[in-house]
Amino acid sequence: MNTQRKTVLVTGSGQGIGRGVALGLAERGWHVLVADIDEQRAKTVAAEAGGEAVVVDIASAQSCREAAEQLQRQGVVLDGLVNNAALFSTLTMKPFWEIDEQEWNRVLGVNLTGTWQLTKALLPALRGAESASIVNVAASAVWIGRPHYAHYVASKAGLIGLTYVMSRELAGSGIRANAVTPGSVQTEIPRTTITADQVRKQVEAQNVQRPATPDDLVGAIAFLLGPDSGFVSGQTVNVDGGLTVR
Ligand SMILES: NC(=O)c1ccc[n+]([C@@H]2O[C@H](COP(=O)([O-])OP(=O)(O)OC[C@H]3O[C@@H](n4cnc5c(N)ncnc54)[C@H](O)[C@@H]3O)[C@@H](O)[C@H]2O)c1
């Protein structure tokens, strides 16, 4: 995996936003490690991005350690880490009192605990870079307290808090940590959590009045990964077309 290009690992990049971000970053010159729990999809996107596939279940501490050890053996240094993997498109919506304990723990276990434990495992690879950057993909659903998604919204609010602490604890190490909060993004994956009518109403409420695609995240994430944001750390960049203003 020796390369002159900067290397970024994007989790959950076998499909959806992660795939779009992986391809967009590859177009911008990054060497992309396409990490996903789904080996086949990771390999397909890695081939499209001219990068490598990394198979990892971020909800498993052991899987995270094994993936990190494999990268270490290959001498990989990470200039960037985009923590994008989450349980999202497979979720069904319900009020918080109908979410059972198992489902709650599963969502928190991937979206929050998983992001924490993979980042922990990859710290040596990030420390090996001259200046590394972590971008955590949260959600603007936090800012609007989107109903019927309590486990998901809580996991993403927790991720924003984790980002702030990471930025503090990595201060002075040359590693920055920031979050992005996308609004609703249409991907190639169908989902039941938003209807066509809700998309239309949301678009009308945005300052930028069109639906978002994964490409809309690439610029903000590339900025946070690269040297142009060298003085930006511990921040949340909201990418929701101005659905919410902050
Ligand atoms: N699509 C949206 O409208 C939207 C809006 C705001 C935020 N987001 C966030 O953006 C990110 C991507 O969203 P998406 O729409 O592409 O979601 P998605 O459900 O289509 O894709 C999630 C990806 O994560 C992978 N994944 C799931 N569990 C994993 C695990 N344990 N280990 C490793 N990989 C795992 C899946 O295989 C899949 O490739 C998520 O963090 C999501 O919360 C999405």
Side-chain angles (χ1 to χ4, degrees):
M1 286 199 201
N2 281 339
T3 171
Q4 294 302 309
R5 290 179 291 161
K6 299 263 187 201
T7 299
V8 61
L9 185 144
V10 184
T11 67
S13 49
Q15 68 180 44
I17 291 179
R19 173 178 175 272
V21 168
L23 297 179
L25 291 175
E27 262 176 39
R28 288 167 189 241
W30 285 82
H31 178 234
V32 182
L33 306 184
V34 176
D36 207 285
I37 194 171
D38 187 309
E39 181 171 6
Q40 195 44 54
R41 287 201 303 251
K43 283 183 171 165
T44 303
V45 178
E48 289 178 288
E52 328 280 336
V54 176
V55 182
V56 62
D57 173 5
I58 65 165
S60 155
Q62 191 181 335
S63 176
C64 290
R65 277 193 300 270
E66 284 171 5
E69 282 162 14
Q70 189 194 328
L71 294 177
Q72 201 172 17
R73 279 195 299 276
Q74 292 169 308
V76 172
V77 164
L78 287 180
D79 304 282
L81 169 63
V82 181
N83 284 311
N84 163 84
L87 291 180
F88 174 66
S89 62
T90 50
L91 297 178
T92 51
M93 302 192 80
K94 54 188 80 154
F96 74 86
W97 56 87
E98 286 180 14
I99 297 173
D100 66 33
E101 192 184 341
Q102 198 186 3
E103 188 179 358
W104 178 274
N105 288 336
R106 209 166 56 90
V107 173
L108 272 288
V110 175
N111 299 10
L112 184 55
T113 309
T115 301
W116 161 69
Q117 63 200 4
L118 182 69
T119 307
K120 196 169 124 173
L122 292 178
L123 264 186
L126 289 159
R127 288 191 198 279
E130 207 173 295
S131 59
S133 171
I134 299 168
V135 180
N136 292 328
V137 180
S140 84
V142 171
W143 311 133
I144 54 181
R146 186 145 188 246
H148 299 158
Y149 250 159
H151 42 10
Y152 175 75
V153 173
S155 73
K156 294 299 185 176
L159 186 54
I160 291 169
L162 178 63
T163 305
Y164 295 161
V165 176
M166 281 178 172
S167 76
R168 290 288 187 211
E169 293 184 356
L170 294 171
S173 72
I175 304 174
R176 297 177 293 112
N178 292 286
V180 291
T181 52
S184 181
V185 180
Q186 306 314 300
T187 76
E188 78 282 10
I189 305 299
R191 59 184 199 265
T192 57
T193 45
I194 190 159
T195 63
D197 192 47
Q198 284 171 323
V199 171
R200 190 182 51 75
K201 285 190 180 133
Q202 222 170 65
V203 166
E204 281 171 9
Q206 290 166 196
N207 295 334
V208 183
Q209 294 192 326
R210 61 168 175 77
T213 70
D215 285 346
D216 289 309
L217 271 308
V218 176
I221 291 176
F223 166 71
L224 290 173
L225 287 174
D228 284 350
S229 64
F231 208 56
V232 180
S233 184
Q235 305 303 312
T236 304
V237 176
N238 192 35
V239 190
D240 69 356
L243 177 69
T244 56
V245 290
R246 299 169 51 72

